[in-house]
Amino acid sequence: METGFYKHNEEKFNYNVDCLIKKTLLFLKHNYLFLCIFCTFLWLFYAFYPGTVVYDSFYMYMGAVKGYAGNWHSALITRIWQLILFFTDIKGTFLLIPLAATCAGLYIIAKNISKGIITGIICVLILFMPPVFANITVVLKDTYLASFTFLVAALMINQAISDKKQTHLFYIFSGIALVCCFYFRPNGSFIAVPLLVAIFMGWKAPIIYRYITCLVLVVFVSATASFVNFKLLKAYDDFPEISLMWFDIAGTAKHSGVSTLPETPGTPDQLGLIKHCYSPDQWDTIATWRGTDNCNAIAKYFYDQRDKGPEQLKKVKDELRKAWIDAITQHPLAYLKHRLSHFNRFIDYQGHRPAFQPLHVRVVGFVYMFDKDHYQDITYEIDPPRLWKTFIDMDLGNQLWFHPYVSLLILLFFYLSTLATNDRFNRTLNVVAFSGMIYLIGFLFVGVSADFRYSYPSLLLSILCILAAFGYYSQTRKVFGTKKTRIIGGSVTVPLLLIGIIL
């Protein structure tokens, strides 16, 4: 009886496996899109394993290994990685999360066009498109934010095209993913809040109510960020506010000729130092880690106060905050010139070529770039594939798609084209375009560096909008928006694009 029971179950298991294999082969045979994306995903994961974890990411990894988290970088990512390390020490897990989310989102939206070989090849080309290829295997707060919003937006648009009802699983997954986006980056709420509002409250209300709701929620997230970081995630205060406040103070002083800072030891000529060291490119030229020509003297003085106890840290924060507010209120035109010059450098709209730092880093692996020998126990550097070595020697900065204003104008075009429409697909496309657009515009007020990587989330959403337009037409034989709104969108964005290219 025991023998018969065993044979019966073995035959049943063999039959199920045979059916699974046949169905899988049949699935792949008629789904070249999946095959193309999946094979590219496997190659990227294998060739660039374990991903690139340097600079900011290495600090988060170091915190996850040693069991602490700071609020300069994402305390949430640090705690997630710490949880992952509790279960496994497979280093590629950190890369697997954003890479899989990006590829999954690409498949979800592209299958609305077709599951054939041509669409598959297009998706492979997208993954190897220089601005995507430069970031997709680099583990950053920006790539986590980009992949999560890209996946959620792809799910939203896919459901809108097919007019499927949103499931409880979708609400749970998208809610968790977008709330995580709030804390991946300090400005992550800019891109995630509109998507969250559209999912849970709808995007049917008059425009003013949509945006007021988004604004209130963004303010709420910003106001509660300290509670989440310090109380829930148990992070220590790394004084991240110094980057924005000191950059704005220095930029305003540069344009106004007046420094609102109190006197700091060792820098009798603050204004002269600021004029010599300040650059609209990034705050790093006057940052604590830049010792060239004493350019870090002022920032280092304020930043070092964090090691002198909570009372001294609070005192110096108040001093810097007062100087920041005084700079903005007393010299608003100088502040505006500073912010506009930085934003122009960030989006590269005019007067600046090539793009600023189109490539984040050249190495692959877990590397502490400032002192590679200091953390040998957790350093893991590998030799990158030959394709990567060839890629990083290309003239990336002069390629048009590395200039964020291109993504901004694509998003603006789709936003204007769908602004006056009420059907589900166009409303969804409108909110996706709006979230990517407002995220870029937000850097006008909070940007402290013009690195290309900061625009990566909006770049992915601009690609998503283009694929969604083709998918919608493929499924319904309808064009997004209306003829009138598309003409308005084109008449605004096309001239701006041409002006940007010429200038």
Side-chain angles (χ1 to χ4, degrees):
M1 186 173 178
E2 291 180 358
T3 303
F5 177 77
Y6 173 82
K7 287 184 177 180
H8 172 74
N9 283 279
E10 184 183 41
E11 290 173 359
K12 185 176 180 180
F13 176 79
N14 290 342
Y15 174 78
N16 289 333
V17 171
D18 290 341
C19 290
L20 178 63
I21 292 174
K22 290 178 181 178
K23 290 179 179 179
T24 302
L25 291 175
L26 185 65
F27 168 72
L28 293 177
K29 183 178 179 181
H30 295 287
N31 198 341
Y32 293 108
L33 171 65
F34 176 84
L35 188 62
C36 289
I37 294 177
F38 185 64
C39 289
T40 306
F41 160 77
L42 290 178
W43 183 85
L44 288 169
F45 185 68
Y46 168 77
F48 290 92
Y49 184 90
T52 298
V53 178
V54 297
Y55 296 129
D56 298 2
S57 301
F58 192 88
Y59 283 114
M60 292 188 292
Y61 172 62
M62 188 164 52
V65 171
K66 300 184 181 296
Y68 64 85
N71 69 332
W72 187 288
H73 308 299
S74 174
L76 177 62
I77 292 179
T78 302
R79 292 308 185 192
I80 291 174
W81 287 359
Q82 188 177 357
L83 183 63
I84 291 172
L85 291 175
F86 178 79
F87 293 98
T88 179
D89 59 355
I90 299 175
K91 293 180 171 62
T93 310
F94 306 144
L95 167 64
L96 184 63
I97 295 171
L99 180 60
T102 303
C103 290
L106 186 59
Y107 173 76
I108 288 169
I109 191 62
K111 70 182 177 64
N112 290 289
I113 301 174
S114 80
K115 295 181 181 179
I117 188 67
I118 297 178
T119 306
I121 292 173
I122 290 172
C123 288
V124 171
L125 293 176
I126 289 173
L127 293 172
F128 282 95
M129 192 172 76
V132 177
F133 188 57
N135 288 279
I136 197 167
T137 59
V138 181
V139 180
L140 291 164
K141 296 175 288 187
D142 312 277
T143 53
Y144 268 66
L145 177 66
S147 62
F148 275 49
T149 52
F150 182 74
L151 178 56
V152 172
L155 288 168
M156 292 171 62
I157 291 178
N158 176 65
Q159 292 177 343
I161 292 175
S162 58
D163 202 26
K164 291 181 180 178
K165 186 178 180 181
Q166 293 173 340
T167 63
H168 293 297
L169 181 61
F170 169 77
Y171 282 114
I172 294 171
F173 171 78
S174 59
I176 293 174
L178 293 176
V179 169
C180 286
C181 289
F182 294 167
Y183 306 104
F184 284 162
R185 283 192 55 82
N187 60 334
S189 59
F190 289 10
I191 196 170
V193 160
L195 299 179
L196 193 72
V197 169
I199 290 171
F200 288 93
M201 298 181 62
W203 205 244
K204 295 180 181 180
I207 290 178
I208 187 66
Y209 296 123
R210 301 180 207 168
Y211 299 158
I212 288 176
T213 303
C214 290
L215 179 61
V216 169
L217 192 51
V218 166
V219 171
F220 173 79
V221 172
S222 300
T224 57
S226 295
F227 173 79
V228 172
N229 285 324
F230 300 144
K231 300 298 182 181
L232 300 183
L233 299 174
K234 305 298 182 184
Y236 64 86
D237 192 356
D238 230 351
F239 196 9
E241 307 97 305
I242 188 177
S243 59
L244 177 61
M245 291 191 292
W246 174 216
F247 187 50
D248 285 347
I249 291 168
T252 304
K254 170 76 174 182
H255 290 283
S256 68
V258 179
S259 174
T260 56
L261 280 171
E263 291 186 7
T264 52
T267 52
D269 185 13
Q270 286 186 356
L271 188 59
L273 186 67
I274 289 171
K275 287 183 176 180
H276 174 68
C277 300
Y278 167 82
S279 168
D281 290 354
Q282 55 180 181
W283 97 287
D284 294 50
T285 60
I286 51 174
T288 60
W289 44 83
R290 290 291 178 93
T292 307
D293 297 330
N294 203 35
C295 285
N296 67 343
I298 301 175
K300 190 174 187 302
Y301 166 75
F302 283 99
Y303 191 68
D304 286 350
Q305 304 306 307
R306 65 179 186 152
D307 299 323
K308 297 182 179 180
E311 291 186 3
Q312 183 63 19
L313 178 60
K314 183 180 183 303
K315 178 184 176 182
V316 80
K317 275 187 175 184
D318 292 340
E319 288 180 354
L320 197 62
R321 188 175 293 108
K322 182 180 183 303
W324 180 53
I325 294 172
D326 288 345
I328 297 172
T329 55
Q330 295 175 15
H331 311 283
L333 289 179
Y335 168 75
L336 187 60
K337 288 180 180 179
H338 151 67
R339 291 311 317 180
L340 286 173
S341 63
H342 171 68
F343 186 67
N344 182 47
R345 187 65 184 99
F346 170 59
I347 65 172
D348 279 311
Y349 185 65
Q350 61 172 347
H352 297 288
R353 296 293 186 272
F356 188 72
Q357 295 191 11
L359 189 69
H360 177 60
V361 71
R362 293 170 173 264
V363 302
V364 176
F366 289 61
V367 185
Y368 184 64
M369 296 297 294
F370 297 109
D371 184 1
K372 295 184 179 181
D373 298 327
H374 191 66
Y375 291 98
Q376 281 295 321
D377 56 327
I378 58 175
T379 296
Y380 182 76
E381 187 172 0
I382 68 164
D383 190 33
R386 185 178 301 175
L387 177 62
W388 180 251
K389 295 179 180 179
T390 303
F391 174 74
I392 59 180
D393 290 331
M394 296 171 61
D395 188 17
L396 300 175
N398 285 312
Q399 296 180 6
L400 185 61
W401 44 28
F402 275 101
H403 294 72
Y405 79 85
V406 176
S407 298
L408 179 60
L409 291 178
I410 291 172
L411 293 165
L412 178 61
F413 169 72
F414 281 102
Y415 171 75
L416 293 175
S417 297
T418 57
L419 194 57
T421 53
N422 292 314
D423 63 284
R424 183 180 176 184
F425 170 76
N426 283 292
R427 289 199 313 270
T428 306
L429 188 60
N430 182 262
V431 70
V432 171
F434 174 75
S435 63
M437 184 177 66
I438 206 67
Y439 180 70
L440 283 179
I441 294 174
F443 281 94
L444 173 62
F445 306 100
V446 301
V448 295
S449 178
D451 287 21
F452 172 77
R453 63 189 174 100
Y454 298 129
S455 67
Y456 182 63
S458 294
L459 168 72
L460 285 191
L461 290 189
S462 68
I463 294 172
L464 178 64
C465 287
I466 295 172
L467 293 175
F470 280 102
Y472 182 62
Y473 181 80
S474 178
Q475 294 294 325
T476 65
R477 292 296 183 269
K478 296 179 181 179
V479 182
F480 64 93
T482 65
K483 184 177 180 180
K484 182 179 179 180
T485 55
R486 289 194 300 273
I487 291 175
I488 293 173
S491 63
V492 171
T493 56
V494 172
L496 289 174
L497 178 63
L498 295 175
I499 291 171
I501 293 172
I502 294 169
L503 296 180

